[in-house]
Amino acid sequence: FSVGEKRSLVSLVLIGSILLMGLLLVHGKDYDRSSKDSPHVRHKRGIIWDFFQKMVITKNLIVDQYTDTRNTLNDIYNVVNEQFSDPGPQKPTSSPRITTEKNALFSGEETGNNSGEETTTPFTISRYELGRILGRNFRGIQKLAMKEFNTALNATSYNLAEYKAEADKQFANSLAVEKKNKLKSLKG
């Protein structure tokens, strides 16, 4: 096709689409009038159709949820990884990550002439130090849980002993009362 033929073809397609839209608008108005006169009836497709349609919708929902969760976890993993001072393995991201900090460093804006401004580096921690802190916290929580558990067991044994003593006392009182009543009935 030459350039002139392409332009004429495009103009014919545009004119055709405009005419088609006009026809749809005209017939759409007639359809709206007829739909107001008679109620819309939806024909049932059947149980099997509805079942499979719901299965497909459920599958799509699960796949979308899985994809969103995976992408979010990858992003969180990479953000946390960027905070460590020692290098670690990089996981692939769902989309390329663009940060202004890295771009500003490589764009040549900071050429070394600081005009009285101090730049502070953000606090970073090594993986080893984080593991040491988390281990210490975990051991402390374990000790606290065991202490609470032992206290609860000890209190339970005291409570059981008190309950047994009270029950024996009540049982002994009721036996004594029954014996007195029996003796009264025999004498009486």
Side-chain angles (χ1 to χ4, degrees), residues 37-140:
D37 297 338
S38 65
H40 177 69
V41 178
R42 181 180 174 260
H43 300 287
K44 281 228 160 234
R45 292 187 182 120
I47 294 172
I48 295 174
W49 175 265
D50 288 343
F51 173 75
F52 283 112
Q53 186 179 17
K54 287 179 182 173
M55 292 299 291
V56 167
I57 290 170
T58 305
K59 187 236 14 150
N60 290 342
L61 181 68
I62 290 170
V63 167
D64 289 345
Q65 187 68 38
Y66 171 77
T67 304
D68 288 346
T69 304
R70 185 188 65 217
N71 292 342
T72 302
L73 288 176
N74 282 340
D75 289 345
I76 290 171
Y77 178 81
N78 287 334
V79 166
V80 168
N81 240 1
E82 289 172 0
Q83 301 304 314
F84 291 118
S85 60
D86 53 341
Q90 283 287 329
K91 266 188 142 181
T93 59
S94 57
S95 60
R97 179 173 295 282
I98 299 172
T99 58
T100 56
E101 294 176 35
K102 291 179 182 177
N103 291 340
L105 289 177
F106 293 117
S107 66
E109 291 176 1
E110 295 184 25
T111 57
N113 53 356
N114 291 337
S115 58
E117 296 179 15
E118 290 186 26
T119 57
T120 58
T121 59
F123 177 75
T124 56
I125 189 169
S126 68
R127 285 173 173 63
Y128 174 76
E129 185 66 25
L130 179 66
R132 203 170 67 80
I133 291 169
L134 291 177
R136 187 176 60 223
N137 288 348
F138 179 72
R139 286 189 300 275

